[in-house]
Amino acid sequence: MRDSVDTGSGPDPRRVHDPDGLVRELGLLRIRAARGRGRGRVSLNDIATSTAIPRSTVHAYLSGGRMPPADSLDAMVVALGATPAEQREWAEALYRAVAVAGRASAPDRSGTPRTAVPVPRQLPAAPRGFVGREAETAELERVLADSDGVSPLLAVIGTGGVGKTALVLHWAHRNLARFPDGQLWIDLRGFGALPPMAAGDALDRLLRAIGAGNAALPADVDARSAALRTALADRRMLLVLDNARSAGQVMPLLPAAPGVVTVVTSRDTLRPLVAAVGADRVRVDRLAEAESLSLLANASRTGGIAEAAVAARIARHCEGLPLALRIVRERLSVTAEAEIACFADELDRDHQHRLAALDLHDASLEVSVRSAFGWSYRALPAEAAVLFRRLPLCLLTTFDRADAEVLLEHPDSAGRLLDTLVAASLLDTAGPDRYRLHELVAGFALERLAAEESPAEISRLRLDFGRHLARMAEAALGWWDAQRPPRIDFPAGDPSRPIDVVRTLPTPELAEEWIAGHIDAIAATVQELAASAQPGYSWVLAERGSRSLWATADTQVMDPALRCARDAALAAGEPRAAIVMCRLLGVSHGRRGQLDAAEAMFTQGLRIAEGHGARDLAVLDRANLGLIRGMRGDVAAAVTALAGVIDELYELGESPISTLHSLAEFELQRGDVAAASAWTRQMLADPHVRHGRASTPFLDASMMAAAVALAAGDRQAAHATLDEVDALLAEVGGRVATCQCLTLRGRIFLDSGDLAAADRCGQQAVTLARALAGRSEEIAAQCLLGEVARQRGELVSADRCLTDALARAREAQLRYAEAEALVLLAKTCQAAGDSARLRRVLSQAREITARCGFLGLAREIETVAPAA
């Protein structure tokens, strides 16, 4: 007999307690759905059409002839207009009705079953527009194939919104035939608005879903767990435990039958599940760019994003996160094509605008990237939450444990807390003690930082991290330039201590790796500190960061930071700091062949130095201006200017090595090998060189000695000196010195006729020079390669290489490099029999060599075509 209830208020799945109640409330739902259609209730035909369920089957479900599977009930109530909240209530109603049906079909005292229990089909619908995941799907298949009679258990893990559930549904719907006894699905609510489901409640639902539940289910979790294992013992089923909070929540729900495949999805890495019961872990990573663009396809009313560059920008900001990409696709589905670029601009802005754009603002569903990360954050232990929200202060996508230690009151806990964040899928590992924080996650962390910590505390943390970067950069600098200590001291009272270089960065390779990984953070931190209450740390960090690049990388990345630090120093009335920033900018511009900009910086620094009586700094800038004159071809004036500051440098206790090196180089350009040799001997006798073999000054002096030996025709001495340099470079590193050494070695091979070895050296030097943005080094290596090609008879290749070198030299106003390229190009024209071009090239070469006094090149010109 059916319940006597008031149905005047419309359908209410909460009133369902048995199969009859389910039939009654579904009937009321049909009546409600028909309002406004001119009919008393929605017809069976309409329901069958909307759900793709046969009409006879729909009738059996709605009349009580058969209990509907979960997915069929879901489809029917959706077709009848149930809201997302009501859909969950209808699912709960079905569990209660199935439980009563299970008791009705239980065996009687004689053991004769009354009615067969329905096969559970609880999988939600397969995801639409599924893309990629071939590797993950193959891994699921591999684990099943290798199960070998053991109950397969797969832990599908990954960060929130990465598509774990979608992957499992996609795979499960493709493999339904493997599970003839049904599929069980349960949301354990590990991360979401509702509290995580208790193991006892989950067991109750699973037991009732397979008809094994009854009114007398044991209250004890262990007993229910045993009952589930018994009920599943002979079945071939799929059990999906979705959205698990932890391994502890999952353990009581695991079957033992070899025919039951269990898949657990979680943001947690479920390490105990892997360690204790041997679960196979399948990590779901972010989508590749091509897959992201595929998921964005048909994202606008016009059927797609017309501008490939705009689509790429949008996909890049979504960082391969399927949740973000689906939100974007939905937002753009109602957006005109003309407005899509504006949406991309919105994503280009700061993290708050980006997270706001990736939100559909529907509280009933998790369709917000911010919310997805929020549930993971709320699940963290308090200490781990503190570290997580502070990590963006590193200003790094990839950072190391030492960086994290600076952000904690108890640095020793950093390793453990980072491990916790990795386990929570909020961080990725990027190598030993290296971690990666994705941009969207970092944006969310910054929001929590601003909301939960005071501005004063954030400022303190930024300052602490700036001090850390400065000390580490100083340590790295010790591998290449220890003979020239920084000119700007830490502010008085600074609590940090110098770092033990060998203990912290035990090899030059690790020092170079640290610089490469942190230089962007150094540049950004300099600018932050320049605007802070303690700007003194900005120029401390700027000097150390910039100088650490001289031997290893392109210095351009530091230019904006150096300008910012210079302006802060001027505003604070700190002339020495401003002068040093100007000089560092001048060196950076000079390295890239921007001689006008370099001269402007050295001139500004000299003007400030002379105005404040900073004689020691003024003499360095006068030397640098002399160097610029020589690079422009006025070598006679440059030699006079540089020779005039040598004694002054010694008097002030400054190292003259760079000046001596320039003098020797210019004398070689003038063709005076004896004078170059004299300056080189003075370099080698300097204390900075004699007592600092593992240093830039020693390397500079040694390579100049090799160049002088080669110019004097002593290839054996040049080779021997470079052998010593190579051994030292292998010990201490230094990419700029390596590049210069390769070109010099290549010239020796060229002179001795070993063209293959010369070519190898030239190719390596060009590659390295371009990575370093060293304009003069690149041109020298190109000239070497051009001459190698000419001597091989590859005249087209030689012409192309030398013409490019000539253009680069002219652009950079490097007159000696321009003249050398012209001389070599003339030889190529001569070999090609191009007399007209030969005359033009020789005319240009003669004009430069005569004007600049490049006597060695002038003599070489006459060997190409003697003057008439």
Side-chain angles (χ1 to χ4, degrees):
M1 181 176 180
R2 299 188 179 187
D3 297 339
S4 177
V5 296
D6 177 16
T7 60
S9 60
D12 187 351
R14 293 172 297 183
R15 292 195 295 254
V16 174
H17 301 292
D18 54 24
D20 287 343
L22 183 65
V23 170
R24 179 190 67 242
E25 298 303 325
L26 285 173
L28 293 174
L29 184 62
R30 290 174 67 190
I31 293 171
R32 187 184 77 176
R35 289 175 186 166
R37 300 189 187 186
R39 288 182 288 179
R41 61 182 180 179
V42 177
S43 70
L44 296 177
N45 284 334
D46 287 347
I47 298 173
T49 300
S50 299
T51 61
I53 301 172
R55 182 184 182 283
S56 59
T57 305
V58 172
H59 177 266
Y61 293 157
L62 296 180
S63 65
R66 288 166 56 188
M67 291 293 290
D71 54 347
S72 296
L73 179 69
D74 288 343
M76 289 192 297
V77 299
V78 169
L80 293 171
T83 66
E86 288 176 332
Q87 292 171 39
R88 289 193 289 272
E89 292 175 354
W90 281 109
E92 297 288 343
L94 180 62
Y95 287 132
R96 294 192 293 273
V98 168
V100 174
R103 291 196 296 271
S105 62
D108 59 21
R109 291 179 182 273
S110 67
T112 304
R114 296 189 177 93
T115 308
V117 177
V119 173
R121 305 289 186 189
Q122 296 184 340
L123 287 180
R128 296 182 179 181
F130 189 85
V131 299
R133 305 304 189 199
E134 289 82 3
E136 292 90 342
T137 302
E139 182 64 9
L140 290 171
E141 297 289 349
R142 184 197 64 76
V143 172
L144 287 187
D146 295 346
S147 58
D148 194 25
V150 179
S151 179
L153 173 59
L154 299 104
V156 179
I157 65 163
T159 192
V162 82
K164 303 178 292 294
T165 301
L167 167 66
V168 171
L169 283 172
H170 173 73
W171 168 81
H173 277 279
R174 291 174 56 183
N175 290 275
L176 291 178
R178 294 187 178 188
F179 314 111
D181 295 326
Q183 306 91 39
L184 295 168
W185 178 282
I186 188 165
D187 180 1
L188 295 178
R189 304 194 306 243
F191 301 88
L194 297 176
M197 186 180 294
D201 293 338
L203 286 164
D204 178 86
R205 295 190 184 194
L206 292 171
L207 285 165
R208 295 183 188 283
I210 58 177
N214 55 58
L217 275 175
D220 179 72
V221 170
D222 289 340
R224 289 189 182 189
S225 182
L228 179 66
R229 291 194 295 272
T230 299
L232 297 178
D234 298 319
R235 306 200 189 197
R236 295 175 60 200
M237 300 184 72
L238 172 66
L239 170 60
V240 180
L241 305 174
D242 190 37
N243 194 17
R245 179 67 167 264
S246 64
Q249 186 188 26
V250 170
M251 294 289 277
L253 312 179
L254 301 180
V260 179
V261 175
T262 305
V263 180
V264 184
T265 74
S266 180
R267 302 178 186 194
D268 188 85
T269 51
L270 302 175
R271 290 171 176 171
L273 204 63
V274 176
V277 294
D280 286 278
R281 186 187 289 127
V282 177
R283 179 177 293 278
V284 182
D285 291 319
R286 294 160 187 258
L287 295 173
E289 181 180 0
E291 294 168 336
S292 296
L293 291 172
S294 178
L295 193 54
L296 277 179
N298 301 318
S300 75
R301 290 186 301 188
T302 58
I305 302 175
E307 286 288 339
V310 173
R313 281 168 59 201
I314 292 173
R316 184 173 63 252
H317 283 307
C318 290
E319 295 187 299
L321 199 66
L323 173 62
L325 292 161
R326 291 181 185 279
I327 290 171
V328 168
R329 189 171 68 178
E330 172 56 27
R331 286 198 58 180
L332 296 187
S333 67
V334 293
T335 300
E337 181 67 33
E339 298 173 358
I340 291 179
C342 296
F343 180 80
D345 293 339
E346 189 177 353
L347 291 176
D348 283 340
R349 298 175 68 184
D350 59 35
H351 65 275
Q352 291 178 319
H353 286 88
R354 193 171 300 125
L355 289 172
L358 299 175
D359 193 337
L360 293 184
H361 306 289
D362 187 336
S364 65
L365 294 171
E366 190 177 278
V367 282
S368 162
V369 170
R370 181 185 282 116
S371 295
F373 296 153
W375 300 127
S376 296
Y377 177 70
R378 291 180 181 90
L380 292 173
E383 282 184 295
V386 169
L387 177 58
F388 170 75
R389 63 178 177 256
R390 291 178 175 181
L391 285 176
L393 295 177
C394 294
L395 301 176
L396 289 163
T397 300
T398 303
F399 58 93
D400 54 42
R401 185 170 65 179
D403 299 326
E405 289 174 353
V406 181
L407 305 174
L408 293 168
E409 282 73 23
H410 303 290
D412 291 345
S413 64
R416 172 176 56 83
L417 298 178
L418 289 166
D419 199 45
T420 299
L421 296 177
V422 171
S425 296
L426 288 170
L427 275 186
D428 291 338
T429 55
D433 279 341
R434 298 279 292 164
Y435 304 88
R436 180 177 295 107
L437 184 68
H438 288 278
E439 180 181 305
L440 288 174
V441 181
F444 172 79
L446 279 172
E447 286 190 347
R448 300 322 313 153
L449 179 70
E452 298 182 43
E453 304 210 25
S454 70
E457 180 66 6
I458 294 172
S459 295
R460 181 190 68 79
L461 290 166
R462 290 189 192 281
L463 183 60
D464 286 348
F465 193 72
R467 281 197 290 253
H468 162 69
L469 291 176
R471 289 300 187 189
M472 289 294 292
E474 186 175 77
L477 191 59
W479 277 109
W480 307 295
D481 215 2
Q483 301 300 312
R484 291 183 289 192
R487 297 187 176 278
I488 303 176
D489 294 329
F490 280 78
D494 174 69
S496 60
R497 297 179 178 179
I499 291 175
D500 183 336
V501 180
V502 175
R503 184 180 67 83
T504 308
L505 298 170
T507 67
E509 290 80 13
L510 288 175
E512 185 174 334
E513 182 181 324
W514 188 92
I515 289 295
H518 288 77
I519 193 59
D520 288 335
I522 290 173
T525 303
V526 166
Q527 297 181 71
E528 284 191 345
L529 293 175
S532 72
Q534 299 192 57
Y537 283 101
S538 70
W539 44 81
V540 166
L541 178 56
E543 181 192 20
R544 287 151 178 79
S546 182
R547 281 184 52 191
S548 66
L549 292 179
W550 287 358
T552 62
D554 182 1
T555 59
Q556 187 170 6
V557 67
M558 283 296 297
D559 285 2
L562 289 169
R563 286 192 290 269
C564 192
R566 176 201 59 191
D567 295 344
L570 289 171
E574 292 287 345
R576 292 187 67 86
I579 295 164
V580 172
M581 297 303 105
C582 288
R583 182 177 307 117
L584 294 170
L585 278 165
V587 172
S588 179
H589 288 307
R591 277 274 299 274
R592 297 194 300 278
Q594 299 167 347
L595 300 190
D596 290 342
E599 183 178 23
M601 287 297 99
F602 293 141
T603 300
Q604 182 181 9
L606 178 60
R607 188 167 55 247
I608 298 171
E610 290 177 341
H612 289 82
R615 182 188 169 206
D616 58 329
L617 300 182
V619 69
L620 293 173
D621 283 328
R622 288 205 305 274
N624 283 324
L625 287 169
L627 174 63
I628 294 297
R629 293 184 71 177
M631 293 172 73
R632 283 187 166 137
D634 193 353
V635 290
V639 168
T640 300
L642 292 171
V645 302
I646 294 295
D647 291 340
E648 196 172 358
L649 288 169
Y650 278 123
E651 179 188 339
L652 292 169
E654 295 287 343
S655 170
I657 301 303
S658 295
T659 304
L660 291 168
H661 185 280
S662 297
L663 281 164
E665 184 173 16
F666 290 143
E667 292 293 9
L668 282 181
Q669 291 179 7
R670 292 206 294 183
D672 192 339
V673 178
S677 180
W679 291 121
T680 302
R681 287 195 300 273
Q682 190 170 343
M683 287 176 70
L684 293 169
D686 187 273
H688 292 90
V689 173
R690 286 190 292 108
H691 302 303
R693 286 189 74 258
S695 67
T696 299
F698 181 85
L699 290 169
D700 287 346
S702 298
M703 280 191 288
M704 183 52 67
V708 169
L710 182 60
D714 191 348
R715 289 198 300 268
Q716 186 175 0
H719 256 308
T721 301
L722 290 183
D723 287 342
E724 186 176 3
V725 170
D726 279 340
L728 187 57
L729 285 172
E731 178 184 338
V732 303
R735 297 168 75 201
V736 172
T738 299
C739 179
Q740 295 168 344
C741 186
L742 282 167
T743 301
L744 193 52
R745 179 83 77 179
R747 287 174 53 196
I748 298 173
F749 284 131
L750 184 67
D751 277 8
S752 62
D754 190 344
L755 299 184
D759 185 70
R760 285 195 300 272
C761 289
Q763 296 289 353
Q764 294 174 41
V766 164
T767 300
L768 198 50
R770 287 174 178 167
L772 297 167
R775 183 55 60 90
S776 60
E777 288 85 3
E778 180 182 359
I779 296 168
Q782 283 186 293
C783 286
L784 169 64
L785 289 174
E787 182 62 3
V788 168
R790 183 188 71 82
Q791 293 192 24
R792 282 176 166 173
E794 300 166 356
L795 301 183
V796 173
S797 177
D799 192 300
R800 183 170 55 248
C801 192
L802 292 169
T803 300
D804 186 48
L806 177 61
R808 291 175 186 273
R810 285 173 170 168
E811 180 186 11
Q813 304 177 55
L814 298 172
R815 294 296 173 238
Y816 186 83
E818 180 184 1
E820 183 180 30
L822 284 167
V823 171
L824 295 175
L825 190 58
K827 293 180 179 180
T828 302
C829 293
Q830 185 182 51
D834 190 345
S835 301
R837 189 180 179 203
L838 172 61
R839 284 192 294 272
R840 290 196 303 272
V841 171
L842 283 176
S843 175
Q844 296 169 24
R846 286 193 178 104
E847 189 276 328
I848 295 174
T849 55
R851 173 164 47 86
C852 297
F854 299 146
L855 299 183
L857 288 178
R859 289 191 291 268
E860 193 168 350
I861 289 172
E862 299 313 312
T863 67
V864 179

